[in-house]
Amino acid sequence: MKKQTVSASTGMSQINTEQLKEQIIRHLHSTLGTDVNKASPQAWWRATCAAVNEQVYDGLRNTQRTHYEQNTRALHYFSLEYLMGRLFSNNLHNLGLYEQAKQALAELGLNIADLEDQEEDMALGNGGLGRLAACFIDSLATLNYPAIGYGIHYEHGLFQQSFQDGRQIERPDSWREYGNPWEICRPESVQEISVYGYVETVYDLQGKMKKVWHPGRIIKGVPWDIPIVGYNGSSVNVLRLWESRASDFFNWDVFNSGGYIDAARENIEAETISKVLYPNDETDAGKELRLIQQYFFVSCSLKDIIRRYKRAHGDDWSDFAKQVVIQLNDTHPAVSIPELMRILVDRAEMQWDQAWNICQHVFAYTNHTLLPEALEKWPVRLFEKVLPRHLEIIYEINRRFLIEQVDVLWPGDNDKKRKLSIIEEGHDPMVRMGHLSVVGSFKVNGVAEIHSQLVKSDLFPEMVALWPDKFTNVTNGVTPRRWLKACNPKLAKLLDSKIGDNWPTDLKQLSKFAAFADDPAVQQSFMAIKQQNKAELATVVKKLTQIDIDPHAIFDIQIKRLHEYKRQHLNLLHILALYRRILQDPDYDMVPRVFLFGAKAAPGYKLAKEIIYAINKVAEKINHDKRVKNRLKVVFMPNYRVTLAEKMIPAADVSEQISTAGKEASGTGNMKLALNGAITVGTLDGANIEIAEEVGSDNIAIFGLTVDEVKALHAKGYNSADYYYANPEIKAILDWLETDYFTPGKPGELSAIKRSLLEGGDPYLVLADFESYVKAHEKVDSWYRDQAGWAKKAMLNTASVGKFTSDRSIEDYVSRVWQLKKCNITAQ
Ligand SMILES: [N-]=[N+]=N[C@]1([C@H](N)O)O[C@H](CO)[C@@H](O)[C@H](O)[C@H]1O
């Protein structure tokens, strides 16, 4: 076997195609126990994963040893969601082995794309919040920051979506049914956590009062490590996900005493904790199991962090806040604040003030939404049942907060106390997890400039008065490794050829591409690539939906979770308007357009499901209506997920970012689409505003009410019926939905949308923004007729969004929140 060369920076052996081929065959034989002449694509994929893991584990070992030797301060990212997608292609690209693997497999008679399709998406998240966590841990490893992602090892990720007669059908996701090659079980780091039970107050010999929690149930937490490979093989950090199991102790005693059923039930109940991801995006589940999921993973994670800290520091806690910073990804992990207090006060017997001081230097909190229904509140009675000791601690945190903070700034002001109290009084008192997160954190950030402003002005204005320096902003970002280099290789190659190949780790370099925006030859190359990507997507659309779409039409894409504030129904009303104009004027002149949707609705979100149904029914009618003459096609892609996004985004001409201003905290799909040369049709909401600032008003189609105009309209009193009666097109298309035109023989089947927009009061101002939206699309239609002009706008989008790399987000977190040092990995 020829000697392998080892990279100076990471100690990872750089292997060539021949060596990789040997490794793949060796693993086919010795890891998969099969042979080249009978191996299935699944076996070849797993053998190749095993070969790749040889490099990954080298990096992992060197990274962990370096972090240990340098005893580095580390970031711990606490998130209930990680929307990872597939890792095969990502790991090959980040190791710089993709081309070698492609060649090695080709020489073995295999197409790497077929092997990529063997992998299930690791869909342990709902949408933007979960995907952001995945982009962030990719950037942390690529930037060589010591960091660990902590979360839950759900057996079932986000449900699989299919359509039956246009209606969403959910089926369980079984991503690791046959095992996941990218994870390692770490039984040596098992943790045990407690739930339920009661708290006893005891006094020690010195009369010192102590709290003793007598748990009702012990759950075992088994960690699974997923190596996170940085780009250019820099660091290999870890994503540690906890799986729940019944604790051995209890099981055995019950089992021994003949309680087989109890023991079995104990098992089932324990395992249910990490069984499934709650499929709600932006709504507070409020279920007991969800609270236990949150506590389970934060308790396992905190104990894991403390075990690692004590290895180096013993019982000296003085450096804990210097070594450990924990980012709370929304309020979902906020129970970690009372959990650390419990461990420090009850277990380490620390004074309250010292413990609280440590907490306040360890935790930072990111808010991702202003939607009232998404702000988590737990009934006090539920906390009392599941986490009785933590409730006591929350009460004490609250008592001291109201006295030492609130009453100082607003002496005797009970309204202020009521508004700021972590406990929301009432017939069913609630624990406000947002308030707890702000009070217990040293830094609070929103995820886009306007959102962080609204967090301060609308969500926590009094908290800002108490701690003005605690609040900051870190605008979201996306990893250009997955969302450009890997998913759009043709454009990546064009960029390499024009601006060099450093842009994947220095995305600001893209601005150099602007110099080519007026160059006809580069414009042609750029548009030819877009055309090829569109043709490839058309093949996927045909395979998944049997719908034929013309790659020469405008591909207009709206991909995100289905939610009223994201206004997929506004998009539908525009489609209906175009369809009606075509039926009214057979010569209606428009550039052919294909509207593509991708969106899952939370299973319990009725209106969201009705909107999906309506889009599918309207699509069916339009796509089979000869009078349309291919000027209009509507496609709802089933089972939208990371892997489908990677196929749709490179093929987009138009990016729909049409949320009601003030509702979309940031958005991240908007960044990925602009990066791949799509032109945004959007409101001045979330990160759309910053995208518009970067690309310039000539290269984006902004429409609709601003945040202040939305507030003013609501304040004045918004009557959607006014728009219904004032605009004949709106009236016609809403009335159309009530007929059975799109649902033959079943009139009114699609009337839920009309009802929500009229009787329902149209809370997201769809009708108010309709006219402006239609005009924006007429502008886009006119822009597209000038292909050179369009190419320039599209190229300037790609060239101007370097700011939205998650590397920049991470550097902002490092300078504004985490104060981390990079740690260059030494090889051994
Ligand atoms: N939860 N939550 N919030 C979101 C997304 N739905 O996951 O977080 C995303 C990540 O911060 C944001 O981009 C998005 O605007 C916001 O709605």
Side-chain angles (χ1 to χ4, degrees):
M1 167 103 105
K2 282 200 286 330
K3 178 134 182 29
Q4 294 176 339
T5 55
V6 170
S7 93
S9 69
T10 67
M12 271 191 235
S13 45
Q14 279 153 338
I15 58 172
N16 59 33
T17 303
E18 205 41 50
Q19 290 159 331
L20 190 52
K21 222 161 90 181
E22 283 160 17
Q23 282 189 355
I24 293 169
I25 293 171
R26 177 163 46 76
H27 280 291
L28 201 64
H29 297 165
S30 56
T31 308
L32 276 294
T34 185
D35 203 356
V36 286
N37 50 26
K38 61 180 175 54
S40 64
Q42 179 77 194
W44 279 111
W45 171 63
R46 288 180 182 277
T48 311
C49 293
V52 172
N53 270 330
E54 290 193 34
Q55 321 299 318
V56 172
Y57 295 167
D58 279 353
L60 179 65
R61 224 180 18 263
N62 290 319
T63 303
Q64 296 201 323
R65 193 195 62 263
T66 307
H67 289 170
Y68 179 73
E69 283 166 1
Q70 298 182 15
N71 192 23
T72 52
R73 172 179 168 81
L75 179 262
H76 305 79
Y77 201 77
F78 278 23
S79 180
L80 213 52
E81 302 187 15
Y82 290 92
L83 198 44
M84 302 294 284
R86 291 170 171 171
L87 289 177
F88 183 62
S89 155
N90 179 75
N91 285 353
L92 283 169
H93 274 106
N94 280 16
L95 288 166
L97 284 177
Y98 191 83
E99 293 311 319
Q100 288 93 325
K102 188 173 178 181
Q103 183 55 32
L105 292 165
E107 289 173 14
L108 292 163
L110 298 156
N111 175 342
I112 194 168
D114 297 337
L115 267 61
E116 288 173 11
D117 286 343
Q118 297 303 314
E119 184 172 358
E120 290 291 333
D121 270 43
M122 190 174 162
L124 308 185
N126 278 286
L129 175 145
R131 182 57 233 178
L132 187 80
C135 286
F136 277 7
I137 55 178
D138 175 82
S139 285
L140 283 158
T142 299
L143 294 165
N144 285 323
Y145 285 115
I148 302 181
Y150 279 109
I152 291 185
H153 195 255
Y154 300 105
E155 185 177 337
H156 303 289
L158 188 59
F159 61 85
Q160 303 275 336
Q161 177 200 51
S162 58
F163 297 131
Q164 209 159 59
D165 182 30
R167 290 197 181 281
Q168 172 178 294
I169 304 292
E170 302 96 18
R171 273 182 299 104
D173 158 66
S174 305
W175 67 287
R176 50 191 299 283
E177 191 162 11
Y178 306 113
N180 163 34
W182 304 116
E183 63 186 12
I184 317 159
C185 189
R186 299 293 195 195
E188 69 276 18
S189 303
V190 160
Q191 290 290 352
E192 295 235 327
I193 67 112
S194 308
V195 285
Y196 300 120
Y198 64 96
V199 180
E200 183 191 14
T201 305
V202 298
Y203 295 85
D204 63 14
L205 300 172
Q206 288 77 36
K208 186 166 173 285
M209 191 265 293
K210 278 165 61 74
K211 292 284 185 172
V212 180
W213 179 17
H214 299 282
R217 171 119 4 113
I218 307 290
I219 309 289
K220 185 157 72 177
V222 178
W224 291 83
D225 283 358
I226 288 107
I228 304 299
V229 182
Y231 185 75
N232 276 349
S234 40
S235 300
V236 178
N237 284 340
V238 163
L239 170 59
R240 176 159 282 188
L241 303 178
W242 300 94
E243 178 194 355
S244 64
R245 299 202 189 146
S247 131
D248 307 336
F249 308 111
F250 186 90
N251 245 5
W252 192 240
D253 309 349
V254 173
F255 186 82
N256 243 354
S257 57
Y260 312 115
I261 306 303
D262 288 350
R265 186 179 315 110
E266 178 69 21
N267 258 338
I268 294 158
E269 271 154 16
E271 280 144 21
T272 56
I273 293 171
S274 60
K275 184 68 78 180
V276 64
L277 166 77
Y278 272 84
N280 309 314
D281 190 51
E282 307 266 350
T283 39
D284 171 8
K287 297 279 185 306
E288 180 169 331
L289 179 57
R290 170 82 170 185
L291 176 59
I292 294 176
Q293 284 186 335
Q294 295 180 350
Y295 178 67
F296 165 72
F297 104 88
V298 302
S299 182
C300 289
S301 306
L302 279 170
K303 288 175 177 175
D304 192 53
I305 293 168
I306 290 166
R307 175 186 57 75
R308 201 174 295 111
Y309 173 81
K310 282 192 165 186
R311 213 172 44 193
H313 300 83
D315 288 336
D316 170 4
W317 291 92
S318 57
D319 282 346
F320 189 75
K322 292 195 189 68
Q323 293 294 100
V324 175
V325 57
I326 297 175
Q327 190 68 33
L328 305 175
N329 196 21
D330 216 298
T331 57
H332 311 152
V335 71
S336 34
I337 294 165
E339 172 65 357
L340 183 56
M341 283 301 287
R342 181 187 71 82
I343 293 169
L344 297 176
V345 172
D346 294 359
R347 312 298 291 264
E349 298 190 354
M350 198 179 282
Q351 285 308 309
W352 180 277
D353 292 342
Q354 186 197 357
W356 185 240
N357 184 47
I358 289 176
C359 276
Q360 292 223 292
H361 288 86
V362 162
F363 293 110
Y365 155 57
T366 300
N367 173 281
H368 292 268
T369 180
L370 301 170
L371 295 188
E373 67 267 30
L375 304 175
E376 290 191 299
K377 290 191 283 190
W378 290 108
V380 164
R381 57 183 161 69
L382 188 58
F383 244 99
E384 194 142 35
K385 175 186 176 191
V386 176
L387 300 169
R389 178 58 183 139
H390 297 76
L391 184 61
E392 289 183 351
I393 291 170
I394 290 170
Y395 273 125
E396 182 59 14
I397 291 171
N398 195 39
R399 186 185 69 77
R400 290 167 180 256
F401 164 57
L402 294 176
I403 294 169
E404 295 162 11
Q405 307 287 340
V406 181
D407 203 48
V408 171
L409 206 52
W410 298 284
D413 184 335
N414 290 336
D415 286 347
K416 278 286 183 297
K417 287 193 180 65
R418 244 186 311 282
K419 185 152 190 285
L420 289 170
S421 174
I422 295 169
I423 306 299
E424 181 184 276
E425 300 304 341
H427 70 287
D428 190 12
M430 306 291 266
V431 180
R432 296 161 164 161
M433 301 311 276
H435 288 53
L436 175 62
S437 302
V438 173
V439 172
S441 296
F442 68 87
K443 212 45 111 174
V444 175
N445 74 285
V447 290
E449 281 164 13
I450 187 145
H451 170 65
S452 298
Q453 280 307 324
L454 294 170
V455 165
K456 289 164 59 171
S457 60
D458 297 10
L459 198 54
F460 297 120
E462 293 84 3
M463 296 289 192
V464 175
L466 283 168
W467 299 292
D469 305 334
K470 185 180 278 195
F471 291 81
T472 185
N473 171 59
V474 176
T475 296
N476 283 348
V478 299
T479 169
R481 275 74 69 179
R482 182 180 290 269
W483 296 111
L484 184 47
K485 180 156 176 66
C487 74
N488 197 343
K490 296 184 204 53
L491 179 54
K493 281 198 178 58
L494 176 66
L495 291 169
D496 289 350
S497 69
K498 297 302 173 197
I499 64 169
D501 63 2
N502 292 333
W503 55 267
T505 50
D506 179 8
L507 208 58
K508 272 293 175 193
Q509 298 263 341
L510 288 180
S511 59
K512 288 195 273 183
F513 191 56
F516 299 92
D518 286 306
D519 180 323
V522 184
Q523 288 180 351
Q524 259 127 43
S525 309
F526 187 91
M527 291 306 278
I529 289 165
K530 182 62 78 177
Q531 204 55 38
Q532 288 159 32
N533 291 339
K534 290 165 73 173
E536 282 169 25
L537 180 60
T539 312
V540 174
V541 168
K542 180 66 177 175
K543 188 159 144 262
L544 295 177
T545 70
Q546 293 69 46
I547 299 169
D548 294 304
I549 58 174
D550 169 7
H552 294 91
I554 295 175
F555 279 20
D556 183 309
I557 292 186
Q558 186 171 20
I559 42 178
K560 51 191 73 235
R561 286 296 297 258
L562 209 297
H563 198 292
E564 286 164 86
Y565 85 80
K566 295 173 185 285
R567 301 201 293 189
Q568 281 91 351
H569 46 337
L570 173 59
N571 191 336
L572 177 62
L573 294 190
H574 173 235
I575 292 167
L576 287 167
L578 290 175
Y579 182 36
R580 180 171 169 273
R581 291 177 184 189
I582 291 171
L583 297 189
Q584 289 192 321
D585 167 9
D587 304 324
Y588 181 69
D589 175 22
M590 60 176 282
V591 175
R593 195 167 317 191
V594 178
F595 290 89
L596 296 122
F597 291 87
K600 288 178 177 176
Y605 192 172
K606 202 161 172 328
L607 183 55
K609 289 182 141 178
E610 291 299 332
I611 293 171
I612 290 177
Y613 180 58
I615 294 170
N616 277 324
K617 290 303 192 180
V618 170
E620 212 173 310
K621 193 75 184 179
I622 290 176
N623 296 344
H624 297 90
D625 190 328
K626 297 263 172 298
R627 296 168 293 173
V628 172
K629 299 195 210 87
N630 281 335
R631 281 171 284 181
L632 205 47
K633 276 281 176 70
V634 182
V635 178
F636 207 124
M637 299 291 273
N639 206 27
Y640 175 65
R641 59 200 189 288
V642 169
T643 295
L644 191 49
E646 290 167 2
K647 296 183 191 333
M648 295 178 78
I649 289 171
D653 295 307
V654 173
S655 161
E656 297 273 359
Q657 308 300 331
I658 62 176
S659 54
T660 314
K663 298 300 179 189
E664 189 71 88
S666 165
T668 44
N670 46 7
M671 299 165 182
K672 297 161 189 168
L673 286 154
L675 187 60
N676 284 271
I679 290 174
T680 302
V681 171
T683 51
L684 289 176
D685 193 21
N688 294 355
I689 296 170
E690 291 162 70
I691 291 172
E693 284 161 6
E694 298 296 313
V695 304
S697 56
D698 296 346
N699 306 307
I700 187 168
I702 294 294
F703 75 96
L705 299 164
T706 64
V707 171
D708 293 341
E709 288 165 343
V710 166
K711 284 182 177 176
L713 185 50
H714 279 309
K716 178 168 76 56
Y718 169 61
N719 180 6
S720 58
D722 296 346
Y723 296 81
Y724 172 75
Y725 290 111
N727 181 320
E729 190 163 53
I730 290 177
K731 185 172 186 323
I733 54 183
L734 287 184
D735 295 352
W736 211 0
L737 286 174
E738 271 199 313
T739 68
D740 69 343
Y741 182 88
F742 300 102
T743 52
K746 293 183 270 180
E749 272 243 311
L750 305 184
S751 58
I753 294 174
K754 180 181 179 184
R755 266 200 313 281
S756 77
L757 296 177
L758 294 176
E759 298 89 321
D762 183 14
Y764 296 101
L765 308 178
V766 169
L767 301 189
D769 271 346
F770 179 78
E771 267 179 46
S772 168
Y773 180 53
V774 171
K775 286 202 176 49
H777 273 297
E778 285 163 356
K779 185 160 73 175
V780 164
D781 182 282
S782 66
W783 281 352
Y784 200 80
R785 293 166 193 264
D786 165 9
Q787 281 292 289
W790 185 273
K792 177 176 179 178
K793 291 179 190 296
M795 291 167 70
L796 287 174
N797 269 271
T798 295
S800 313
V801 291
K803 166 184 177 179
F804 303 104
T805 169
S806 45
D807 296 356
R808 186 269 318 145
S809 303
I810 293 300
E811 295 294 8
D812 284 352
Y813 274 104
V814 167
S815 57
R816 296 171 195 166
V817 186
W818 301 333
Q819 322 308 336
L820 288 178
K821 287 196 185 42
K822 293 191 179 189
C823 183
N824 295 325
I825 307 308
T826 52
Q828 208 163 54

